[in-house]
Amino acid sequence: MSKPIVAIVGRPNVGKSTLFNALAGERISIVQDTPGVTRDRIYADAEWLNHTFTLIDTGGIEPDSKDIILSQMREQAQIAMDTADVILFLTDVRQGMVDADAKVADLLRRSKKPVLLLVNKVDHFQKFEADVYEFYNLGIGDPIPISASGKLGLGDMLERMVALFPDAAANEEEDARPKVAVIGKPNVGKSSIVNKLVGENRVIVSDIAGTTRDAIDTEITHNGKEYIFIDTAGLRRKSKIKEEIERYSIIRAVTAVERADAVILVIDAAEGVTEQDAKIAGIAHERGKGVIIAVNKWDAIEKDDKTIYKHTDRIREILSFMSYAEIVFISAKTGQRLMQLFDRIDMVVENNSMRVATGVLNEIVSEAVAMHEPPSDKGKRLKIFYVTQVAVKPPTFVIFVNDKKLMHFSYTRYLENRIRETFGFRGTSLKFIIRERKGDS
């Protein structure tokens, strides 16, 4: 089940990043268990009273010109309207209501998306009470006074926010068709792949104002089986600022990956794998999806008998945190190996949902422990008592041990490799939770 998306929109200097940090906590700049991947503070997974959600900061470059600020805000609002389930519209009580606020409020009101109007920097409610009431004039609902820096009023705001989340049960109509997100940098051929698979130009990329910028769902039938492809290519390139294009690409990728069962990461064969590819790949890895790396434009590469191995080694090096990912070399232009994608999708979706019997799992782990003794420290050796699988999507295992501190990352990786050798799990990440068993030493 995908998490609700919450987007923060507002003028420069109203406190978007402060609110983002306050809601997301300290985890936002950390990518856990993802060596080599850094992440901009664009999105974070957050939780409040058992409600998990993905928080997006639409902010970006903050230019000086008022005209540019308004156009930037419109762009942010559009991104939020396209991708978010709930929009947090942030204003500033000290600056008061300004023209740009009114114009963006009008845009948000017409979007029919749930919007919470937040009036920030209200450190003393009685002192600013009259100033807060001014924001009723935006006609976008009751203004909620908060202080992002002082963390005041956030509980009331969060309560109102989670009440607006879509009803998961109503939305999940048991659609068993595999959902496949096609992600990657701009211009790597995401839409071309979907177009070729569907056999007609269903996904149109256009710079014309009004062209849909939402992720586009395309139904594709292959050998009598239906698939839903989520293409993120409808990104408007009005802004020539590279950082903004990257930011919006990442926001799109987050929202598409959230809904997907499997992810196809498209890489340009001519350009090779880049750090930006690693950033986008990290999104799928963190969310535990099945991953296929599609190296597109393979027809345009001069090849010898070592070319495919060189490309594979380079991908494995840059994307070292997802060594499990399947790699396929394709050409959307010629159709080369394109149909192989369906077999890979079926495989990674199945492996992402695979369950292993506890008895068999413990046999394999016991053999692995016998072959490679667990680490010790100051005379105390790690003991592994029991392993069990507790979840799928991704397959998640709990390992009960005598002392968590003795369970080095390298030994967890060793056990993971043995489990993969036995059961496969190709194309999907595995998650391990280490727990101490009380009363054992």
Coordinates of all heavy atoms in Angstrom, one line a residue, residues 152-198:
L152 N 5.3 24.9 17.6 CA 4.1 25.2 18.2 C 2.9 24.9 17.2 O 3.0 25.3 16.0 CB 4.0 26.6 18.7 CG 5.1 27.0 19.7 CD1 5.0 28.5 20.0 CD2 4.9 26.3 21.0
G153 N 1.8 24.4 17.7 CA 0.7 24.2 16.8 C 0.8 23.0 15.8 O -0.1 22.8 15.0
L154 N 1.9 22.3 15.9 CA 2.1 21.2 14.9 C 1.2 20.0 15.1 O 0.8 19.3 14.2 CB 3.6 20.8 14.8 CG 4.6 21.8 14.4 CD1 6.0 21.2 14.2 CD2 4.2 22.5 13.1
G155 N 0.9 19.7 16.4 CA 0.0 18.6 16.7 C -1.4 18.8 16.1 O -1.9 17.9 15.5
D156 N -2.0 20.0 16.3 CA -3.3 20.3 15.7 C -3.2 20.2 14.2 O -4.1 19.7 13.6 CB -3.7 21.7 16.1 CG -4.1 21.8 17.6 OD1 -4.2 20.8 18.2 OD2 -4.1 23.0 18.1
M157 N -2.2 20.8 13.6 CA -2.0 20.7 12.2 C -1.9 19.3 11.7 O -2.6 18.9 10.7 CB -0.7 21.5 11.8 CG -0.5 21.6 10.3 SD 1.3 21.6 9.9 CE 1.6 19.9 9.9
L158 N -1.1 18.4 12.3 CA -1.0 17.0 11.9 C -2.3 16.3 12.0 O -2.6 15.5 11.2 CB 0.1 16.4 12.7 CG 1.5 16.8 12.4 CD1 2.5 16.4 13.5 CD2 2.0 16.1 11.1
E159 N -3.1 16.6 13.1 CA -4.4 16.0 13.2 C -5.3 16.3 12.1 O -6.0 15.4 11.5 CB -5.0 16.4 14.6 CG -6.1 15.5 15.1 CD -6.5 15.9 16.5 OE1 -5.6 16.0 17.4 OE2 -7.7 16.1 16.7
R160 N -5.3 17.6 11.7 CA -6.1 18.0 10.5 C -5.6 17.4 9.2 O -6.4 17.0 8.4 CB -6.1 19.5 10.4 CG -6.6 20.3 11.6 CD -8.0 20.7 11.4 NE -8.2 21.6 10.3 CZ -8.1 22.9 10.3 NH1 -7.8 23.5 11.5 NH2 -8.3 23.7 9.3
M161 N -4.3 17.2 9.2 CA -3.6 16.7 7.9 C -4.0 15.2 7.7 O -4.4 14.9 6.6 CB -2.1 16.9 8.0 CG -1.4 16.4 6.8 SD 0.4 16.5 7.1 CE 0.7 15.0 7.9
V162 N -3.8 14.4 8.8 CA -4.1 13.0 8.5 C -5.5 12.7 8.3 O -5.9 11.7 7.7 CB -3.5 12.1 9.7 CG1 -2.0 12.3 9.9 CG2 -4.2 12.4 11.0
A163 N -6.4 13.6 8.8 CA -7.9 13.4 8.5 C -8.2 13.6 7.0 O -9.2 13.1 6.6 CB -8.7 14.4 9.3
L164 N -7.3 14.2 6.3 CA -7.5 14.4 4.9 C -6.9 13.3 4.0 O -7.0 13.4 2.8 CB -6.9 15.8 4.5 CG -7.5 17.0 5.1 CD1 -6.7 18.3 4.8 CD2 -9.0 17.2 4.6
F165 N -6.1 12.4 4.6 CA -5.5 11.4 3.8 C -6.6 10.5 3.2 O -7.6 10.3 3.8 CB -4.6 10.5 4.7 CG -3.3 11.1 5.1 CD1 -2.5 10.4 6.1 CD2 -2.9 12.2 4.6 CE1 -1.3 11.0 6.5 CE2 -1.7 12.8 5.0 CZ -0.9 12.2 5.9
P166 N -6.3 10.0 1.9 CA -7.3 9.2 1.3 C -7.5 7.9 2.0 O -6.6 7.4 2.7 CB -6.6 8.9 -0.1 CG -5.2 9.3 0.0 CD -5.1 10.3 1.1
D167 N -8.7 7.4 1.9 CA -9.0 6.1 2.6 C -8.3 5.0 1.8 O -8.7 4.7 0.7 CB -10.5 5.9 2.6 CG -10.9 4.6 3.3 OD1 -10.1 3.9 3.8 OD2 -12.2 4.3 3.3
A168 N -7.3 4.4 2.5 CA -6.5 3.3 1.8 C -7.4 2.2 1.4 O -7.3 1.7 0.3 CB -5.5 2.8 2.8
A169 N -8.4 1.8 2.2 CA -9.2 0.6 1.8 C -10.0 0.9 0.6 O -10.2 0.1 -0.3 CB -10.1 0.3 3.0
A170 N -10.5 2.2 0.5 CA -11.3 2.6 -0.7 C -10.5 2.6 -1.9 O -11.0 2.3 -3.0 CB -12.0 3.9 -0.4
N171 N -9.2 3.1 -1.8 CA -8.4 3.3 -3.0 C -7.8 2.0 -3.5 O -7.5 1.8 -4.7 CB -7.2 4.2 -2.6 CG -7.7 5.7 -2.6 OD1 -8.8 5.9 -3.1 ND2 -7.0 6.5 -2.0
E172 N -7.5 1.0 -2.6 CA -6.9 -0.2 -3.0 C -8.0 -1.2 -3.4 O -8.5 -2.0 -2.6 CB -6.1 -0.8 -1.8 CG -5.0 0.2 -1.3 CD -3.8 0.2 -2.1 OE1 -3.4 -0.9 -2.6 OE2 -3.2 1.3 -2.3
E173 N -8.4 -1.1 -4.6 CA -9.5 -2.0 -5.0 C -9.0 -3.3 -5.5 O -9.4 -3.8 -6.6 CB -10.3 -1.3 -6.1 CG -11.1 -0.1 -5.6 CD -11.8 0.7 -6.7 OE1 -11.8 0.2 -7.9 OE2 -12.4 1.7 -6.4
E174 N -8.1 -3.9 -4.8 CA -7.5 -5.2 -5.1 C -7.2 -5.3 -6.6 O -7.6 -6.3 -7.3 CB -8.5 -6.3 -4.7 CG -8.6 -6.6 -3.2 CD -7.3 -6.8 -2.5 OE1 -6.6 -7.7 -3.0 OE2 -7.0 -6.0 -1.6
D175 N -6.5 -4.4 -7.1 CA -6.0 -4.4 -8.5 C -4.7 -5.3 -8.5 O -3.7 -4.9 -8.0 CB -5.7 -3.0 -9.0 CG -5.4 -3.0 -10.5 OD1 -5.1 -4.1 -11.0 OD2 -5.4 -1.9 -11.1
A176 N -4.9 -6.5 -9.0 CA -3.8 -7.5 -8.9 C -2.7 -7.2 -10.0 O -1.7 -7.9 -10.0 CB -4.3 -8.9 -9.0
R177 N -3.0 -6.3 -11.0 CA -2.1 -6.1 -12.1 C -0.8 -5.5 -11.5 O -0.8 -4.6 -10.8 CB -2.7 -5.2 -13.1 CG -3.9 -5.8 -13.8 CD -4.6 -4.8 -14.7 NE -5.1 -3.6 -14.0 CZ -5.7 -2.6 -14.6 NH1 -5.9 -2.7 -16.0 NH2 -6.2 -1.6 -14.0
P178 N 0.4 -6.0 -12.0 CA 1.6 -5.5 -11.6 C 1.7 -4.0 -12.0 O 1.4 -3.7 -13.1 CB 2.7 -6.3 -12.3 CG 2.0 -7.5 -12.7 CD 0.5 -7.2 -12.9
K179 N 2.2 -3.2 -11.0 CA 2.4 -1.7 -11.3 C 3.9 -1.5 -11.5 O 4.6 -1.8 -10.6 CB 1.8 -0.9 -10.2 CG 0.3 -1.0 -10.2 CD -0.3 -0.1 -9.1 CE -1.8 -0.4 -8.8 NZ -1.9 -1.8 -8.3
V180 N 4.3 -0.9 -12.6 CA 5.7 -0.7 -12.9 C 6.0 0.7 -13.1 O 5.4 1.4 -14.0 CB 6.0 -1.5 -14.2 CG1 7.5 -1.4 -14.5 CG2 5.6 -3.0 -14.2
A181 N 6.9 1.3 -12.2 CA 7.3 2.7 -12.4 C 8.5 2.8 -13.3 O 9.5 2.0 -13.1 CB 7.6 3.3 -11.0
V182 N 8.4 3.6 -14.3 CA 9.6 3.8 -15.2 C 10.2 5.2 -14.8 O 9.6 6.2 -14.9 CB 9.1 3.9 -16.6 CG1 10.3 4.0 -17.6 CG2 8.3 2.7 -17.0
I183 N 11.4 5.1 -14.2 CA 12.1 6.3 -13.6 C 13.4 6.5 -14.2 O 14.0 5.6 -14.8 CB 12.2 6.2 -12.1 CG1 13.1 5.1 -11.6 CG2 10.8 6.1 -11.4 CD1 13.4 5.1 -10.1
G184 N 14.0 7.7 -14.0 CA 15.3 8.0 -14.6 C 15.4 9.5 -14.8 O 14.4 10.2 -14.7
K185 N 16.6 9.9 -15.2 CA 16.8 11.3 -15.5 C 16.0 11.7 -16.7 O 15.6 10.9 -17.5 CB 18.3 11.6 -15.8 CG 19.2 11.3 -14.6 CD 20.6 11.6 -15.0 CE 21.1 10.8 -16.2 NZ 22.5 10.9 -16.5
P186 N 15.8 13.0 -16.9 CA 15.2 13.5 -18.2 C 15.9 13.0 -19.4 O 17.2 12.9 -19.3 CB 15.2 15.0 -18.0 CG 15.3 15.3 -16.6 CD 16.1 14.2 -16.0
N187 N 15.2 12.8 -20.5 CA 15.8 12.5 -21.8 C 16.6 11.1 -21.9 O 17.4 11.0 -22.8 CB 16.8 13.6 -22.3 CG 16.0 14.9 -22.4 OD1 14.9 15.0 -22.8 ND2 16.7 16.0 -21.9
V188 N 16.3 10.2 -21.0 CA 17.0 8.9 -21.2 C 16.1 7.9 -22.0 O 16.5 6.8 -22.3 CB 17.3 8.3 -19.8 CG1 18.4 9.1 -19.1 CG2 16.1 8.1 -18.9
G189 N 14.9 8.3 -22.3 CA 14.0 7.5 -23.1 C 12.9 6.8 -22.4 O 12.4 5.7 -22.9
K190 N 12.5 7.3 -21.3 CA 11.4 6.6 -20.5 C 10.1 6.5 -21.3 O 9.5 5.4 -21.4 CB 11.2 7.4 -19.2 CG 12.4 7.5 -18.3 CD 12.1 8.1 -16.9 CE 11.7 9.6 -17.0 NZ 12.8 10.4 -17.4
S191 N 9.7 7.6 -21.9 CA 8.4 7.6 -22.6 C 8.6 6.8 -23.9 O 7.6 6.1 -24.3 CB 8.0 9.0 -23.0 OG 7.6 9.7 -21.9
S192 N 9.8 6.8 -24.5 CA 10.0 6.0 -25.7 C 9.8 4.5 -25.4 O 9.2 3.8 -26.2 CB 11.4 6.3 -26.3 OG 11.5 7.6 -26.5
I193 N 10.3 4.1 -24.3 CA 10.1 2.7 -23.9 C 8.7 2.3 -23.7 O 8.2 1.3 -24.3 CB 10.9 2.4 -22.6 CG1 12.4 2.5 -22.8 CG2 10.5 1.0 -22.0 CD1 13.3 2.5 -21.6
V194 N 7.9 3.2 -23.0 CA 6.5 2.9 -22.8 C 5.8 2.9 -24.1 O 4.9 2.1 -24.4 CB 5.9 3.9 -21.8 CG1 4.4 3.6 -21.6 CG2 6.6 3.8 -20.4
N195 N 6.1 3.9 -25.0 CA 5.4 4.0 -26.3 C 5.6 2.7 -27.1 O 4.7 2.2 -27.8 CB 6.0 5.2 -27.0 CG 5.5 6.5 -26.5 OD1 4.5 6.6 -25.7 ND2 6.1 7.6 -26.9
K196 N 6.9 2.3 -27.1 CA 7.2 1.1 -27.9 C 6.5 -0.2 -27.4 O 6.0 -1.0 -28.1 CB 8.7 0.9 -27.9 CG 9.2 -0.1 -28.9 CD 9.3 0.5 -30.3 CE 10.0 -0.4 -31.3 NZ 10.1 0.2 -32.6
L197 N 6.4 -0.3 -26.0 CA 5.8 -1.4 -25.4 C 4.3 -1.4 -25.7 O 3.7 -2.5 -25.9 CB 6.0 -1.5 -23.9 CG 7.4 -1.8 -23.4 CD1 7.5 -1.6 -21.9 CD2 7.9 -3.2 -23.9
V198 N 3.7 -0.2 -25.7 CA 2.2 -0.1 -25.9 C 1.9 -0.2 -27.4 O 0.7 -0.5 -27.8 CB 1.7 1.1 -25.2 CG1 1.8 2.4 -26.1 CG2 0.2 1.0 -24.8

